[in-house]
Amino acid sequence: MIEGWYEMKIRVLGGLLALAVFIPFLVAGGTWFAWLALLLGIVGLYELATMKGINFFSIIGVIASIALASVLLPANYLNLVISIDDPHFIFYICGLVLLTMTVYKHKTFNFVDASVLMFGALYVGFGFRFLIQMRDMGIATIGYQLLVIWATDTGAYLTGRLIGKTPLAPEVSPNKTVEGSVGGVILAVIVSSIYLKYVPTSINQVSHIWLLTIIMSIVGQYGDLVESAYKRYFGVKDSGKFIPGHGGVLDRFDSMIFASFTFMIWLNFF
């Protein structure tokens, strides 16, 4: 009982501390939020590297971080550091350098390691890139996504605890239930509908916003399952210890990364 109370206390305090750091950057927006996103992205890539057993605090980590930055930072922010017409060229060069290093460091660094870092740079990089672009659309816009994800997590947890019986993905995440998932989607729709009714955002005119909310909620939950799958593969409980009581950056942003993809795809094609 005492141990459980202590863990809950650490979780609450860790969450409050994370919000105390995150919210000022979110409100400031612009370059401030972009640099925070880059920092979080690098930590997320470090977590992937650590799970794979790659020494990130080395020239390998530096090269992988440069590859990440070339993907994560939109052109208007990347140009503050380096002026280049095609940032993806930097990404490709970094990939070639890492592959070259598999020849000279073949005992400690191989093709699979290089692939994990480069794919991780894409996965984490574009996820945070889209968050930056959403913030540039206005704080109310990214606030919409944050509410969808937080409401989904809350609804899924409460509904799952109350009436959850049917396992959602028992081999990957035994505690998640179908009932909890549905409850998360319902609460996300309710909360986002109230939010969009009273808070003017640039997405109020997006077609079928209620359907987007449902899809984002579902995809966000799937992002959480994907992270559970690769953590199970690597045999770890949390991706890292960046946030006390909450695990690593990937533990906190897995759903947002997937939901941000969904939002930007919807915005560009519907």
Side-chain angles (χ1 to χ4, degrees):
M1 178 71 72
I2 295 178
E3 184 177 350
W5 180 85
Y6 177 77
E7 290 179 356
M8 179 60 71
K9 180 179 179 180
I10 293 298
R11 185 174 178 82
V12 171
L13 290 176
L16 291 175
L17 177 62
L19 286 175
V21 174
F22 182 73
I23 289 179
F25 283 90
L26 181 67
V27 172
T31 305
W32 287 101
F33 186 73
W35 296 143
L36 175 65
L38 178 59
L39 173 61
L40 292 173
I42 292 174
V43 174
L45 189 59
Y46 158 76
E47 291 171 357
L48 279 174
T50 301
M51 284 188 279
K52 180 59 180 65
I54 303 169
N55 180 17
F56 195 78
F57 294 105
S58 63
I59 186 62
I60 291 171
V62 173
I63 295 169
S65 297
I66 293 173
L68 171 74
S70 71
V71 173
L72 188 150
L73 292 174
N76 55 315
Y77 297 111
L78 185 62
N79 285 336
L80 296 175
V81 180
I82 180 172
S83 181
I84 186 170
D85 294 332
D86 186 4
H88 297 147
F89 182 72
I90 298 176
F91 181 85
Y92 186 69
I93 290 297
C94 289
L96 290 180
V97 173
L98 289 181
L99 288 176
T100 301
M101 295 183 72
T102 64
V103 176
Y104 299 100
K105 292 181 174 289
H106 63 275
K107 292 183 179 180
T108 57
F109 187 72
N110 55 47
F111 179 79
V112 175
D113 295 333
S115 299
V116 168
L117 289 175
M118 295 307 290
F119 176 77
L122 288 174
Y123 165 60
V124 177
F126 272 107
F128 280 101
R129 178 191 183 94
F130 292 151
L131 287 179
I132 293 172
Q133 291 176 329
M134 291 177 68
R135 176 59 186 89
D136 286 347
M137 294 171 64
I139 190 170
T141 299
I142 194 172
Y144 158 74
Q145 166 156 311
L146 293 173
L147 279 179
V148 169
I149 297 303
W150 291 342
T152 297
D153 288 345
T154 302
Y157 175 78
L158 294 177
T159 308
R161 289 292 298 270
L162 290 173
I163 62 173
K165 293 181 179 180
T166 309
L168 180 63
E171 295 185 359
V172 173
S173 187
N175 295 326
K176 289 183 172 58
T177 63
V178 173
E179 293 83 0
S181 177
V182 173
V185 173
I186 292 173
L187 186 60
V189 171
I190 294 173
V191 171
S192 65
S193 297
I194 296 173
Y195 177 80
L196 292 173
K197 181 177 181 180
Y198 294 102
V199 179
T201 75
S202 60
I203 60 172
N204 277 314
Q205 303 304 317
V206 173
S207 61
H208 305 296
I209 189 67
W210 60 271
L211 181 57
L212 172 59
T213 300
I214 292 174
I215 295 175
M216 284 178 60
S217 178
I218 294 173
V219 172
Q221 292 183 65
Y222 199 82
D224 186 57
L225 290 175
V226 166
E227 200 215 0
S228 295
Y230 64 68
K231 285 193 299 184
R232 182 171 291 271
Y233 173 79
F234 287 119
V236 297
K237 180 182 178 182
D238 297 316
S239 65
K241 299 180 180 179
F242 188 70
I243 307 173
H246 291 264
V249 166
L250 296 179
D251 290 311
R252 291 300 90 204
F253 285 88
D254 50 2
S255 296
M256 292 185 192
I257 287 174
F258 269 68
S260 69
F261 283 128
T262 306
F263 180 87
M264 297 306 292
I265 289 172
W266 190 276
L267 207 63
N268 284 279
F269 292 97
F270 296 95

